[in-house]
PDB file of all heavy atoms in Angstrom:
ATOM      1  N   TYR A   1       0.830  -1.212   0.009  1.00 97.00           N
ATOM      2  CA  TYR A   1       0.001  -0.006   0.006  1.00 97.00           C
ATOM      3  C   TYR A   1       0.863   1.258  -0.010  1.00 97.00           C
ATOM      4  O   TYR A   1       0.635   2.206  -0.756  1.00 97.00           O
ATOM      5  CB  TYR A   1      -0.916  -0.006   1.218  1.00 97.00           C
ATOM      6  CG  TYR A   1      -1.881   1.157   1.272  1.00 97.00           C
ATOM      7  CD1 TYR A   1      -3.194   1.004   0.823  1.00 97.00           C
ATOM      8  CD2 TYR A   1      -1.510   2.397   1.760  1.00 97.00           C
ATOM      9  CE1 TYR A   1      -4.089   2.087   0.852  1.00 97.00           C
ATOM     10  CE2 TYR A   1      -2.394   3.481   1.809  1.00 97.00           C
ATOM     11  CZ  TYR A   1      -3.685   3.298   1.355  1.00 97.00           C
ATOM     12  OH  TYR A   1      -4.542   4.346   1.385  1.00 97.00           O
ATOM     13  N   LEU A   2       1.878   1.287   0.865  1.00 97.00           N
ATOM     14  CA  LEU A   2       2.729   2.463   0.963  1.00 97.00           C
ATOM     15  C   LEU A   2       3.589   2.638  -0.283  1.00 97.00           C
ATOM     16  O   LEU A   2       3.856   3.767  -0.723  1.00 97.00           O
ATOM     17  CB  LEU A   2       3.621   2.368   2.191  1.00 97.00           C
ATOM     18  CG  LEU A   2       2.894   2.468   3.535  1.00 97.00           C
ATOM     19  CD1 LEU A   2       3.892   2.305   4.673  1.00 97.00           C
ATOM     20  CD2 LEU A   2       2.157   3.806   3.662  1.00 97.00           C
ATOM     21  N   ASN A   3       4.031   1.542  -0.849  1.00 97.00           N
ATOM     22  CA  ASN A   3       4.825   1.606  -2.060  1.00 97.00           C
ATOM     23  C   ASN A   3       4.024   2.268  -3.191  1.00 97.00           C
ATOM     24  O   ASN A   3       4.457   3.253  -3.798  1.00 97.00           O
ATOM     25  CB  ASN A   3       5.260   0.209  -2.484  1.00 97.00           C
ATOM     26  CG  ASN A   3       6.163   0.218  -3.718  1.00 97.00           C
ATOM     27  OD1 ASN A   3       5.684   0.325  -4.825  1.00 97.00           O
ATOM     28  ND2 ASN A   3       7.473   0.057  -3.486  1.00 97.00           N
ATOM     29  N   VAL A   4       2.820   1.783  -3.437  1.00 98.00           N
ATOM     30  CA  VAL A   4       2.009   2.324  -4.521  1.00 98.00           C
ATOM     31  C   VAL A   4       1.538   3.750  -4.167  1.00 98.00           C
ATOM     32  O   VAL A   4       1.487   4.633  -5.030  1.00 98.00           O
ATOM     33  CB  VAL A   4       0.807   1.406  -4.817  1.00 98.00           C
ATOM     34  CG1 VAL A   4      -0.034   1.989  -5.952  1.00 98.00           C
ATOM     35  CG2 VAL A   4       1.300   0.005  -5.187  1.00 98.00           C
ATOM     36  N   HIS A   5       1.223   3.958  -2.900  1.00 98.00           N
ATOM     37  CA  HIS A   5       0.773   5.286  -2.443  1.00 98.00           C
ATOM     38  C   HIS A   5       1.837   6.365  -2.775  1.00 98.00           C
ATOM     39  O   HIS A   5       1.489   7.471  -3.201  1.00 98.00           O
ATOM     40  CB  HIS A   5       0.550   5.253  -0.941  1.00 98.00           C
ATOM     41  CG  HIS A   5      -0.044   6.515  -0.377  1.00 98.00           C
ATOM     42  ND1 HIS A   5       0.726   7.613  -0.040  1.00 98.00           N
ATOM     43  CD2 HIS A   5      -1.331   6.831  -0.048  1.00 98.00           C
ATOM     44  CE1 HIS A   5      -0.049   8.556   0.441  1.00 98.00           C
ATOM     45  NE2 HIS A   5      -1.311   8.093   0.468  1.00 98.00           N
ATOM     46  N   ARG A   6       3.080   6.018  -2.649  1.00 97.00           N
ATOM     47  CA  ARG A   6       4.153   6.975  -2.915  1.00 97.00           C
ATOM     48  C   ARG A   6       4.103   7.459  -4.362  1.00 97.00           C
ATOM     49  O   ARG A   6       4.260   8.664  -4.644  1.00 97.00           O
ATOM     50  CB  ARG A   6       5.508   6.321  -2.622  1.00 97.00           C
ATOM     51  CG  ARG A   6       6.708   7.221  -2.814  1.00 97.00           C
ATOM     52  CD  ARG A   6       7.954   6.693  -2.186  1.00 97.00           C
ATOM     53  NE  ARG A   6       8.392   5.423  -2.772  1.00 97.00           N
ATOM     54  CZ  ARG A   6       8.343   4.236  -2.139  1.00 97.00           C
ATOM     55  NH1 ARG A   6       7.833   4.153  -0.932  1.00 97.00           N
ATOM     56  NH2 ARG A   6       8.778   3.145  -2.741  1.00 97.00           N
ATOM     57  N   TYR A   7       3.888   6.563  -5.291  1.00 98.00           N
ATOM     58  CA  TYR A   7       3.892   6.914  -6.694  1.00 98.00           C
ATOM     59  C   TYR A   7       2.568   7.590  -7.103  1.00 98.00           C
ATOM     60  O   TYR A   7       2.573   8.515  -7.938  1.00 98.00           O
ATOM     61  CB  TYR A   7       4.176   5.688  -7.548  1.00 98.00           C
ATOM     62  CG  TYR A   7       5.552   5.123  -7.241  1.00 98.00           C
ATOM     63  CD1 TYR A   7       5.669   4.027  -6.357  1.00 98.00           C
ATOM     64  CD2 TYR A   7       6.704   5.723  -7.727  1.00 98.00           C
ATOM     65  CE1 TYR A   7       6.922   3.548  -6.032  1.00 98.00           C
ATOM     66  CE2 TYR A   7       7.942   5.244  -7.387  1.00 98.00           C
ATOM     67  CZ  TYR A   7       8.070   4.149  -6.538  1.00 98.00           C
ATOM     68  OH  TYR A   7       9.316   3.659  -6.198  1.00 98.00           O
ATOM     69  N   MET A   8       1.483   7.151  -6.512  1.00 98.00           N
ATOM     70  CA  MET A   8       0.205   7.817  -6.793  1.00 98.00           C
ATOM     71  C   MET A   8       0.254   9.264  -6.280  1.00 98.00           C
ATOM     72  O   MET A   8      -0.207  10.190  -6.959  1.00 98.00           O
ATOM     73  CB  MET A   8      -0.942   7.061  -6.088  1.00 98.00           C
ATOM     74  CG  MET A   8      -1.260   5.699  -6.686  1.00 98.00           C
ATOM     75  SD  MET A   8      -2.044   5.853  -8.312  1.00 98.00           S
ATOM     76  CE  MET A   8      -2.545   4.131  -8.589  1.00 98.00           C
ATOM     77  N   THR A   9       0.826   9.459  -5.103  1.00 98.00           N
ATOM     78  CA  THR A   9       0.939  10.816  -4.575  1.00 98.00           C
ATOM     79  C   THR A   9       1.843  11.673  -5.428  1.00 98.00           C
ATOM     80  O   THR A   9       1.543  12.839  -5.717  1.00 98.00           O
ATOM     81  CB  THR A   9       1.499  10.752  -3.125  1.00 98.00           C
ATOM     82  OG1 THR A   9       0.603   9.964  -2.315  1.00 98.00           O
ATOM     83  CG2 THR A   9       1.573  12.127  -2.523  1.00 98.00           C
ATOM     84  N   ALA A  10       2.960  11.126  -5.876  1.00 97.00           N
ATOM     85  CA  ALA A  10       3.872  11.856  -6.721  1.00 97.00           C
ATOM     86  C   ALA A  10       3.200  12.283  -8.030  1.00 97.00           C
ATOM     87  O   ALA A  10       3.539  13.351  -8.587  1.00 97.00           O
ATOM     88  CB  ALA A  10       5.101  11.021  -7.023  1.00 97.00           C
ATOM     89  N   ALA A  11       2.256  11.480  -8.502  1.00 97.00           N
ATOM     90  CA  ALA A  11       1.530  11.796  -9.727  1.00 97.00           C
ATOM     91  C   ALA A  11       0.354  12.714  -9.503  1.00 97.00           C
ATOM     92  O   ALA A  11      -0.326  13.099 -10.469  1.00 97.00           O
ATOM     93  CB  ALA A  11       1.061  10.494 -10.388  1.00 97.00           C
ATOM     94  N   GLY A  12       0.107  13.095  -8.246  1.00 97.00           N
ATOM     95  CA  GLY A  12      -0.995  13.995  -7.949  1.00 97.00           C
ATOM     96  C   GLY A  12      -2.370  13.339  -7.925  1.00 97.00           C
ATOM     97  O   GLY A  12      -3.369  14.025  -8.049  1.00 97.00           O
ATOM     98  N   ILE A  13      -2.409  12.020  -7.765  1.00 98.00           N
ATOM     99  CA  ILE A  13      -3.687  11.333  -7.699  1.00 98.00           C
ATOM    100  C   ILE A  13      -4.278  11.518  -6.297  1.00 98.00           C
ATOM    101  O   ILE A  13      -3.577  11.381  -5.290  1.00 98.00           O
ATOM    102  CB  ILE A  13      -3.483   9.834  -7.974  1.00 98.00           C
ATOM    103  CG1 ILE A  13      -2.677   9.624  -9.266  1.00 98.00           C
ATOM    104  CG2 ILE A  13      -4.848   9.107  -8.055  1.00 98.00           C
ATOM    105  CD1 ILE A  13      -3.268  10.269 -10.478  1.00 98.00           C
ATOM    106  N   PRO A  14      -5.574  11.824  -6.181  1.00 98.00           N
ATOM    107  CA  PRO A  14      -6.199  12.098  -4.867  1.00 98.00           C
ATOM    108  C   PRO A  14      -6.427  10.808  -4.099  1.00 98.00           C
ATOM    109  O   PRO A  14      -7.557  10.261  -4.082  1.00 98.00           O
ATOM    110  CB  PRO A  14      -7.498  12.778  -5.241  1.00 98.00           C
ATOM    111  CG  PRO A  14      -7.841  12.233  -6.593  1.00 98.00           C
ATOM    112  CD  PRO A  14      -6.515  12.050  -7.308  1.00 98.00           C
ATOM    113  N   VAL A  15      -5.391  10.308  -3.435  1.00 98.00           N
ATOM    114  CA  VAL A  15      -5.505   9.140  -2.591  1.00 98.00           C
ATOM    115  C   VAL A  15      -5.523   9.595  -1.145  1.00 98.00           C
ATOM    116  O   VAL A  15      -5.060  10.696  -0.809  1.00 98.00           O
ATOM    117  CB  VAL A  15      -4.342   8.165  -2.844  1.00 98.00           C
ATOM    118  CG1 VAL A  15      -4.423   7.589  -4.239  1.00 98.00           C
ATOM    119  CG2 VAL A  15      -2.987   8.860  -2.637  1.00 98.00           C
ATOM    120  N   PRO A  16      -6.049   8.780  -0.210  1.00 97.00           N
ATOM    121  CA  PRO A  16      -6.096   9.201   1.199  1.00 97.00           C
ATOM    122  C   PRO A  16      -4.702   9.464   1.756  1.00 97.00           C
ATOM    123  O   PRO A  16      -3.743   8.733   1.442  1.00 97.00           O
ATOM    124  CB  PRO A  16      -6.744   8.019   1.896  1.00 97.00           C
ATOM    125  CG  PRO A  16      -7.551   7.338   0.830  1.00 97.00           C
ATOM    126  CD  PRO A  16      -6.764   7.492  -0.407  1.00 97.00           C
ATOM    127  N   ARG A  17      -4.581  10.483   2.596  1.00 96.00           N
ATOM    128  CA  ARG A  17      -3.296  10.784   3.233  1.00 96.00           C
ATOM    129  C   ARG A  17      -2.941   9.682   4.246  1.00 96.00           C
ATOM    130  O   ARG A  17      -3.822   9.106   4.862  1.00 96.00           O
ATOM    131  CB  ARG A  17      -3.368  12.143   3.943  1.00 96.00           C
ATOM    132  CG  ARG A  17      -3.521  13.320   3.008  1.00 96.00           C
ATOM    133  CD  ARG A  17      -3.393  14.650   3.762  1.00 96.00           C
ATOM    134  NE  ARG A  17      -4.462  14.815   4.741  1.00 96.00           N
ATOM    135  CZ  ARG A  17      -5.659  15.321   4.407  1.00 96.00           C
ATOM    136  NH1 ARG A  17      -5.942  15.649   3.180  1.00 96.00           N
ATOM    137  NH2 ARG A  17      -6.579  15.480   5.355  1.00 96.00           N
ATOM    138  N   VAL A  18      -1.669   9.422   4.382  1.00 95.00           N
ATOM    139  CA  VAL A  18      -1.162   8.487   5.354  1.00 95.00           C
ATOM    140  C   VAL A  18      -0.686   9.267   6.587  1.00 95.00           C
ATOM    141  O   VAL A  18       0.156  10.140   6.463  1.00 95.00           O
ATOM    142  CB  VAL A  18      -0.013   7.612   4.807  1.00 95.00           C
ATOM    143  CG1 VAL A  18       0.586   6.747   5.913  1.00 95.00           C
ATOM    144  CG2 VAL A  18      -0.512   6.751   3.654  1.00 95.00           C
ATOM    145  N   TYR A  19      -1.199   8.968   7.770  1.00 91.00           N
ATOM    146  CA  TYR A  19      -0.831   9.662   8.970  1.00 91.00           C
ATOM    147  C   TYR A  19       0.245   8.927   9.792  1.00 91.00           C
ATOM    148  O   TYR A  19       1.172   9.548  10.281  1.00 91.00           O
ATOM    149  CB  TYR A  19      -2.063   9.871   9.861  1.00 91.00           C
ATOM    150  CG  TYR A  19      -3.065  10.845   9.279  1.00 91.00           C
ATOM    151  CD1 TYR A  19      -4.387  10.447   9.107  1.00 91.00           C
ATOM    152  CD2 TYR A  19      -2.711  12.137   8.907  1.00 91.00           C
ATOM    153  CE1 TYR A  19      -5.314  11.329   8.562  1.00 91.00           C
ATOM    154  CE2 TYR A  19      -3.644  13.001   8.379  1.00 91.00           C
ATOM    155  CZ  TYR A  19      -4.949  12.609   8.207  1.00 91.00           C
ATOM    156  OH  TYR A  19      -5.852  13.442   7.679  1.00 91.00           O
ATOM    157  N   LEU A  20       0.102   7.614   9.912  1.00 90.00           N
ATOM    158  CA  LEU A  20       1.011   6.910  10.789  1.00 90.00           C
ATOM    159  C   LEU A  20       1.057   5.421  10.384  1.00 90.00           C
ATOM    160  O   LEU A  20       0.021   4.825  10.102  1.00 90.00           O
ATOM    161  CB  LEU A  20       0.531   7.026  12.245  1.00 90.00           C
ATOM    162  CG  LEU A  20       1.392   6.358  13.324  1.00 90.00           C
ATOM    163  CD1 LEU A  20       2.782   6.984  13.381  1.00 90.00           C
ATOM    164  CD2 LEU A  20       0.702   6.493  14.683  1.00 90.00           C
ATOM    165  N   HIS A  21       2.276   4.895  10.357  1.00 93.00           N
ATOM    166  CA  HIS A  21       2.446   3.464  10.084  1.00 93.00           C
ATOM    167  C   HIS A  21       3.149   2.833  11.284  1.00 93.00           C
ATOM    168  O   HIS A  21       4.166   3.331  11.738  1.00 93.00           O
ATOM    169  CB  HIS A  21       3.308   3.293   8.818  1.00 93.00           C
ATOM    170  CG  HIS A  21       3.487   1.834   8.420  1.00 93.00           C
ATOM    171  ND1 HIS A  21       4.612   1.387   7.740  1.00 93.00           N
ATOM    172  CD2 HIS A  21       2.685   0.752   8.620  1.00 93.00           C
ATOM    173  CE1 HIS A  21       4.492   0.102   7.534  1.00 93.00           C
ATOM    174  NE2 HIS A  21       3.324  -0.324   8.042  1.00 93.00           N
ATOM    175  N   ILE A  22       2.565   1.766  11.790  1.00 90.00           N
ATOM    176  CA  ILE A  22       3.128   1.040  12.908  1.00 90.00           C
ATOM    177  C   ILE A  22       3.394  -0.388  12.411  1.00 90.00           C
ATOM    178  O   ILE A  22       2.565  -1.291  12.583  1.00 90.00           O
ATOM    179  CB  ILE A  22       2.217   1.030  14.145  1.00 90.00           C
ATOM    180  CG1 ILE A  22       1.739   2.441  14.465  1.00 90.00           C
ATOM    181  CG2 ILE A  22       2.939   0.427  15.361  1.00 90.00           C
ATOM    182  CD1 ILE A  22       0.728   2.496  15.616  1.00 90.00           C
ATOM    183  N   PRO A  23       4.514  -0.604  11.720  1.00 92.00           N
ATOM    184  CA  PRO A  23       4.758  -1.898  11.054  1.00 92.00           C
ATOM    185  C   PRO A  23       4.782  -3.108  11.957  1.00 92.00           C
ATOM    186  O   PRO A  23       4.347  -4.187  11.582  1.00 92.00           O
ATOM    187  CB  PRO A  23       6.109  -1.684  10.353  1.00 92.00           C
ATOM    188  CG  PRO A  23       6.741  -0.537  11.056  1.00 92.00           C
ATOM    189  CD  PRO A  23       5.644   0.340  11.522  1.00 92.00           C
ATOM    190  N   GLU A  24       5.294  -2.940  13.211  1.00 90.00           N
ATOM    191  CA  GLU A  24       5.377  -4.064  14.113  1.00 90.00           C
ATOM    192  C   GLU A  24       3.992  -4.585  14.513  1.00 90.00           C
ATOM    193  O   GLU A  24       3.842  -5.716  14.948  1.00 90.00           O
ATOM    194  CB  GLU A  24       6.200  -3.722  15.366  1.00 90.00           C
ATOM    195  CG  GLU A  24       5.620  -2.593  16.197  1.00 90.00           C
ATOM    196  CD  GLU A  24       6.079  -1.211  15.796  1.00 90.00           C
ATOM    197  OE1 GLU A  24       6.489  -1.075  14.618  1.00 90.00           O
ATOM    198  OE2 GLU A  24       6.053  -0.309  16.651  1.00 90.00           O
ATOM    199  N   GLU A  25       2.986  -3.719  14.388  1.00 90.00           N
ATOM    200  CA  GLU A  25       1.601  -4.135  14.685  1.00 90.00           C
ATOM    201  C   GLU A  25       0.783  -4.329  13.411  1.00 90.00           C
ATOM    202  O   GLU A  25      -0.417  -4.649  13.491  1.00 90.00           O
ATOM    203  CB  GLU A  25       0.931  -3.049  15.557  1.00 90.00           C
ATOM    204  CG  GLU A  25       1.502  -2.930  16.943  1.00 90.00           C
ATOM    205  CD  GLU A  25       1.037  -4.041  17.873  1.00 90.00           C
ATOM    206  OE1 GLU A  25      -0.010  -4.652  17.597  1.00 90.00           O
ATOM    207  OE2 GLU A  25       1.746  -4.297  18.871  1.00 90.00           O
ATOM    208  N   GLU A  26       1.430  -4.128  12.267  1.00 92.00           N
ATOM    209  CA  GLU A  26       0.727  -4.240  10.976  1.00 92.00           C
ATOM    210  C   GLU A  26      -0.513  -3.327  10.921  1.00 92.00           C
ATOM    211  O   GLU A  26      -1.607  -3.748  10.581  1.00 92.00           O
ATOM    212  CB  GLU A  26       0.373  -5.698  10.695  1.00 92.00           C
ATOM    213  CG  GLU A  26       1.619  -6.587  10.587  1.00 92.00           C
ATOM    214  CD  GLU A  26       1.291  -8.078  10.505  1.00 92.00           C
ATOM    215  OE1 GLU A  26       0.148  -8.449  10.847  1.00 92.00           O
ATOM    216  OE2 GLU A  26       2.173  -8.873  10.158  1.00 92.00           O
ATOM    217  N   VAL A  27      -0.278  -2.083  11.299  1.00 92.00           N
ATOM    218  CA  VAL A  27      -1.351  -1.090  11.368  1.00 92.00           C
ATOM    219  C   VAL A  27      -0.959   0.150  10.591  1.00 92.00           C
ATOM    220  O   VAL A  27       0.198   0.614  10.634  1.00 92.00           O
ATOM    221  CB  VAL A  27      -1.623  -0.712  12.867  1.00 92.00           C
ATOM    222  CG1 VAL A  27      -2.391   0.585  12.963  1.00 92.00           C
ATOM    223  CG2 VAL A  27      -2.363  -1.828  13.550  1.00 92.00           C
ATOM    224  N   LEU A  28      -1.933   0.672   9.867  1.00 94.00           N
ATOM    225  CA  LEU A  28      -1.721   1.920   9.097  1.00 94.00           C
ATOM    226  C   LEU A  28      -2.887   2.853   9.410  1.00 94.00           C
ATOM    227  O   LEU A  28      -4.060   2.444   9.350  1.00 94.00           O
ATOM    228  CB  LEU A  28      -1.708   1.580   7.617  1.00 94.00           C
ATOM    229  CG  LEU A  28      -1.183   2.636   6.647  1.00 94.00           C
ATOM    230  CD1 LEU A  28       0.284   2.943   6.913  1.00 94.00           C
ATOM    231  CD2 LEU A  28      -1.353   2.130   5.209  1.00 94.00           C
ATOM    232  N   LEU A  29      -2.595   4.109   9.752  1.00 93.00           N
ATOM    233  CA  LEU A  29      -3.617   5.141  10.002  1.00 93.00           C
ATOM    234  C   LEU A  29      -3.724   6.048   8.794  1.00 93.00           C
ATOM    235  O   LEU A  29      -2.713   6.625   8.330  1.00 93.00           O
ATOM    236  CB  LEU A  29      -3.273   5.964  11.250  1.00 93.00           C
ATOM    237  CG  LEU A  29      -3.765   5.460  12.607  1.00 93.00           C
ATOM    238  CD1 LEU A  29      -5.263   5.543  12.688  1.00 93.00           C
ATOM    239  CD2 LEU A  29      -3.245   4.060  12.909  1.00 93.00           C
ATOM    240  N   LEU A  30      -4.958   6.195   8.305  1.00 95.00           N
ATOM    241  CA  LEU A  30      -5.191   6.904   7.058  1.00 95.00           C
ATOM    242  C   LEU A  30      -6.246   8.002   7.226  1.00 95.00           C
ATOM    243  O   LEU A  30      -7.043   7.971   8.168  1.00 95.00           O
ATOM    244  CB  LEU A  30      -5.695   5.937   5.970  1.00 95.00           C
ATOM    245  CG  LEU A  30      -4.820   4.716   5.649  1.00 95.00           C
ATOM    246  CD1 LEU A  30      -5.619   3.713   4.817  1.00 95.00           C
ATOM    247  CD2 LEU A  30      -3.583   5.145   4.946  1.00 95.00           C
ATOM    248  N   GLU A  31      -6.255   8.901   6.292  1.00 95.00           N
ATOM    249  CA  GLU A  31      -7.308   9.911   6.202  1.00 95.00           C
ATOM    250  C   GLU A  31      -8.667   9.226   6.074  1.00 95.00           C
ATOM    251  O   GLU A  31      -8.831   8.246   5.366  1.00 95.00           O
ATOM    252  CB  GLU A  31      -7.082  10.775   4.969  1.00 95.00           C
ATOM    253  CG  GLU A  31      -8.211  11.761   4.650  1.00 95.00           C
ATOM    254  CD  GLU A  31      -8.040  12.446   3.322  1.00 95.00           C
ATOM    255  OE1 GLU A  31      -7.115  12.091   2.549  1.00 95.00           O
ATOM    256  OE2 GLU A  31      -8.828  13.355   3.030  1.00 95.00           O
ATOM    257  N   ASP A  32      -9.651   9.723   6.790  1.00 94.00           N
ATOM    258  CA  ASP A  32     -11.020   9.202   6.715  1.00 94.00           C
ATOM    259  C   ASP A  32     -11.709   9.923   5.550  1.00 94.00           C
ATOM    260  O   ASP A  32     -12.019  11.119   5.608  1.00 94.00           O
ATOM    261  CB  ASP A  32     -11.751   9.501   8.037  1.00 94.00           C
ATOM    262  CG  ASP A  32     -13.118   8.833   8.079  1.00 94.00           C
ATOM    263  OD1 ASP A  32     -13.583   8.326   7.030  1.00 94.00           O
ATOM    264  OD2 ASP A  32     -13.749   8.824   9.149  1.00 94.00           O
ATOM    265  N   ALA A  33     -11.971   9.174   4.503  1.00 95.00           N
ATOM    266  CA  ALA A  33     -12.624   9.743   3.316  1.00 95.00           C
ATOM    267  C   ALA A  33     -14.147   9.632   3.381  1.00 95.00           C
ATOM    268  O   ALA A  33     -14.828   9.848   2.394  1.00 95.00           O
ATOM    269  CB  ALA A  33     -12.096   9.070   2.060  1.00 95.00           C
ATOM    270  N   GLY A  34     -14.665   9.275   4.547  1.00 94.00           N
ATOM    271  CA  GLY A  34     -16.111   9.208   4.704  1.00 94.00           C
ATOM    272  C   GLY A  34     -16.688   7.861   4.274  1.00 94.00           C
ATOM    273  O   GLY A  34     -15.967   6.884   4.045  1.00 94.00           O
ATOM    274  N   ASP A  35     -17.996   7.810   4.143  1.00 93.00           N
ATOM    275  CA  ASP A  35     -18.708   6.597   3.825  1.00 93.00           C
ATOM    276  C   ASP A  35     -19.371   6.579   2.453  1.00 93.00           C
ATOM    277  O   ASP A  35     -20.007   5.584   2.089  1.00 93.00           O
ATOM    278  CB  ASP A  35     -19.810   6.371   4.900  1.00 93.00           C
ATOM    279  CG  ASP A  35     -19.262   6.197   6.283  1.00 93.00           C
ATOM    280  OD1 ASP A  35     -18.126   5.695   6.410  1.00 93.00           O
ATOM    281  OD2 ASP A  35     -19.951   6.610   7.258  1.00 93.00           O
ATOM    282  N   THR A  36     -19.288   7.677   1.747  1.00 96.00           N
ATOM    283  CA  THR A  36     -20.066   7.792   0.519  1.00 96.00           C
ATOM    284  C   THR A  36     -19.213   7.421  -0.688  1.00 96.00           C
ATOM    285  O   THR A  36     -18.251   8.129  -1.035  1.00 96.00           O
ATOM    286  CB  THR A  36     -20.596   9.238   0.332  1.00 96.00           C
ATOM    287  OG1 THR A  36     -21.361   9.591   1.482  1.00 96.00           O
ATOM    288  CG2 THR A  36     -21.459   9.334  -0.910  1.00 96.00           C
ATOM    289  N   THR A  37     -19.569   6.330  -1.329  1.00 96.00           N
ATOM    290  CA  THR A  37     -18.889   5.952  -2.551  1.00 96.00           C
ATOM    291  C   THR A  37     -19.624   6.569  -3.751  1.00 96.00           C
ATOM    292  O   THR A  37     -20.760   7.059  -3.630  1.00 96.00           O
ATOM    293  CB  THR A  37     -18.878   4.405  -2.729  1.00 96.00           C
ATOM    294  OG1 THR A  37     -20.247   3.981  -2.910  1.00 96.00           O
ATOM    295  CG2 THR A  37     -18.282   3.720  -1.537  1.00 96.00           C
ATOM    296  N   LEU A  38     -18.975   6.488  -4.907  1.00 97.00           N
ATOM    297  CA  LEU A  38     -19.649   6.945  -6.124  1.00 97.00           C
ATOM    298  C   LEU A  38     -20.881   6.093  -6.405  1.00 97.00           C
ATOM    299  O   LEU A  38     -21.900   6.607  -6.883  1.00 97.00           O
ATOM    300  CB  LEU A  38     -18.672   6.892  -7.290  1.00 97.00           C
ATOM    301  CG  LEU A  38     -19.188   7.330  -8.660  1.00 97.00           C
ATOM    302  CD1 LEU A  38     -19.826   8.704  -8.595  1.00 97.00           C
ATOM    303  CD2 LEU A  38     -18.049   7.337  -9.667  1.00 97.00           C
ATOM    304  N   GLU A  39     -20.825   4.836  -6.062  1.00 97.00           N
ATOM    305  CA  GLU A  39     -22.006   3.969  -6.173  1.00 97.00           C
ATOM    306  C   GLU A  39     -23.164   4.545  -5.349  1.00 97.00           C
ATOM    307  O   GLU A  39     -24.303   4.610  -5.817  1.00 97.00           O
ATOM    308  CB  GLU A  39     -21.659   2.556  -5.712  1.00 97.00           C
ATOM    309  CG  GLU A  39     -22.852   1.598  -5.776  1.00 97.00           C
ATOM    310  CD  GLU A  39     -22.591   0.292  -5.071  1.00 97.00           C
ATOM    311  OE1 GLU A  39     -21.621   0.193  -4.277  1.00 97.00           O
ATOM    312  OE2 GLU A  39     -23.366  -0.662  -5.298  1.00 97.00           O
ATOM    313  N   ASP A  40     -22.869   4.962  -4.118  1.00 96.00           N
ATOM    314  CA  ASP A  40     -23.898   5.564  -3.279  1.00 96.00           C
ATOM    315  C   ASP A  40     -24.517   6.791  -3.922  1.00 96.00           C
ATOM    316  O   ASP A  40     -25.712   7.010  -3.839  1.00 96.00           O
ATOM    317  CB  ASP A  40     -23.305   5.953  -1.909  1.00 96.00           C
ATOM    318  CG  ASP A  40     -22.904   4.763  -1.094  1.00 96.00           C
ATOM    319  OD1 ASP A  40     -23.540   3.705  -1.176  1.00 96.00           O
ATOM    320  OD2 ASP A  40     -21.912   4.881  -0.348  1.00 96.00           O
ATOM    321  N   MET A  41     -23.637   7.615  -4.462  1.00 96.00           N
ATOM    322  CA  MET A  41     -24.124   8.871  -5.099  1.00 96.00           C
ATOM    323  C   MET A  41     -25.125   8.571  -6.214  1.00 96.00           C
ATOM    324  O   MET A  41     -26.141   9.243  -6.354  1.00 96.00           O
ATOM    325  CB  MET A  41     -22.960   9.682  -5.645  1.00 96.00           C
ATOM    326  CG  MET A  41     -22.055  10.289  -4.559  1.00 96.00           C
ATOM    327  SD  MET A  41     -22.855  11.681  -3.705  1.00 96.00           S
ATOM    328  CE  MET A  41     -22.840  12.935  -4.989  1.00 96.00           C
ATOM    329  N   VAL A  42     -24.813   7.550  -7.014  1.00 97.00           N
ATOM    330  CA  VAL A  42     -25.725   7.182  -8.092  1.00 97.00           C
ATOM    331  C   VAL A  42     -27.043   6.693  -7.506  1.00 97.00           C
ATOM    332  O   VAL A  42     -28.145   7.051  -7.989  1.00 97.00           O
ATOM    333  CB  VAL A  42     -25.074   6.142  -9.002  1.00 97.00           C
ATOM    334  CG1 VAL A  42     -26.077   5.644 -10.049  1.00 97.00           C
ATOM    335  CG2 VAL A  42     -23.842   6.709  -9.699  1.00 97.00           C
TER     336      VAL A  42
END
C-alpha cells in the first residue's frame, strides 16, 4: 500500500493521506474519506 501510495501521490492522484504506520503491529492510520462511494451517489 505504501509503495504504490508513494507513486500515486507523486503523480498527484487524490488518494487518502497516510498519517502513521506502525509496522510491528501491521497497522496503518489513514485519512477518513467518509462513507459515501460513487455507487452511493448514483
